[in-house]
Amino acid sequence: MADLKIDPSARPFTALALVPTVVAALARRPRTTAVLGLLTAGVTLFFRDPDRTPDRSRVSDPDVVLAPADGMVVHVGEPQEGVAPSGDWQQVSIFLSLLDVHVNRSPYGGRVTEVTHTPGRFLAAYRAASATKNERSEITVERVVDGRTRRVVYRQLVGQLARRIVTRLEPGDEVGTGARMGLMKFGSRMDVFVPPEVVLEVTKGARSVAGETVLGRFPSAGGR
């Protein structure tokens, strides 16, 4: 636990949760202090940022698309109606519960060409309507492989409890596959859109691990 990393976004939430704990301690209420202390610890641990040690061959492979979030895969295949960006895409959606790590990682490496933020509602993240009605950030990454441009789009979506998205990428940034790129606070969903030629390797109901689980693969360029 000594080397456990906590995302800096935890600070105001931990401080807020700590106030009643200190008050209870000063009032000499040991049971209340213990309960509130556990609550403070739980809030802080929500922002845990574990180091991941993915297979380097996956991270460096331009054909591999990795999971951007820990959670449950709730959709795989044809895009849900009205959800995908314009064009032809396949969709993989991951639902994050309160117990999952909420630090997000880029599913594909390359140059960030677009980052957009859309205000919206706070519907339950597992509902299909959340993809078009909820507050969200959308990131587009492009990468040239053997003279052809590959494009992957992914979205951070808030849920009923998640009320803020942190996106630490801007257009023009270079991001690596599996690299940290932000987080969502308190329950949410990630959507990943890949071209039709990508062979998807996950199934609905599977558990994903950010930066480690392979969502799919582009056909190898040049048949390599």
Side-chain angles (χ1 to χ4, degrees):
M1 293 293 288
D3 59 352
L4 178 65
K5 293 183 179 179
I6 301 296
D7 189 272
S9 296
R11 291 168 187 163
F13 295 91
T14 298
L16 186 63
L18 190 60
V19 170
T21 307
V22 173
V23 171
L26 293 175
R28 297 183 179 180
R29 296 180 178 273
R31 292 183 180 178
T32 303
T33 300
V35 171
L36 293 174
L38 288 174
L39 176 61
T40 301
V43 169
T44 302
L45 287 173
F46 175 85
F47 293 90
R48 65 195 182 279
D49 182 12
D51 281 328
R52 297 283 162 82
T53 55
D55 187 327
R56 287 187 176 276
S57 63
R58 293 179 181 177
V59 173
S60 61
D61 190 338
D63 299 333
V64 171
V65 180
L66 297 178
D70 290 16
M72 179 73 70
V73 177
V74 295
H75 182 89
V76 179
E78 291 292 321
Q80 295 167 315
E81 185 176 357
V83 169
S86 60
D88 294 327
W89 300 97
Q90 298 180 90
Q91 175 185 342
V92 177
S93 297
I94 300 169
F95 175 72
L96 293 77
S97 75
L98 282 173
L99 299 180
D100 288 311
V101 172
H102 276 60
V103 172
N104 305 142
R105 294 170 179 264
S106 182
Y108 195 64
R111 178 175 291 274
V112 178
T113 59
E114 188 174 6
V115 178
T116 61
H117 179 264
T118 305
R121 299 171 62 184
F122 301 97
L123 301 175
Y126 56 80
R127 294 177 55 184
S130 67
T132 55
K133 296 183 181 297
N134 283 19
E135 182 173 346
R136 58 198 179 274
S137 285
E138 181 173 293
I139 301 95
T140 302
V141 174
E142 294 185 357
R143 184 173 188 169
V144 178
V145 180
D146 284 1
R148 299 187 63 182
T149 299
R150 293 175 173 178
R151 181 179 294 109
V152 172
V153 179
Y154 56 103
R155 291 188 188 137
Q156 299 170 289
L157 287 154
V158 298
Q160 285 180 309
L161 295 177
R163 296 290 163 145
R164 189 181 174 200
I165 295 170
V166 177
T167 305
R168 295 176 177 142
L169 290 175
E170 297 180 355
D173 287 348
E174 292 286 344
V175 64
T177 302
R180 294 175 177 88
M181 52 70 57
L183 78 157
M184 297 176 288
K185 298 178 180 179
F186 305 112
S188 35
R189 165 177 160 175
M190 291 286 290
D191 287 345
V192 181
F193 301 96
V194 296
E197 65 266 24
V198 172
V199 179
L200 298 177
E201 296 188 4
V202 291
T203 57
K204 184 177 179 179
R207 291 282 306 176
S208 66
V209 178
E212 294 187 4
T213 301
V214 175
L215 296 187
R217 298 177 191 268
F218 283 89
S220 295
R224 67 176 184 277

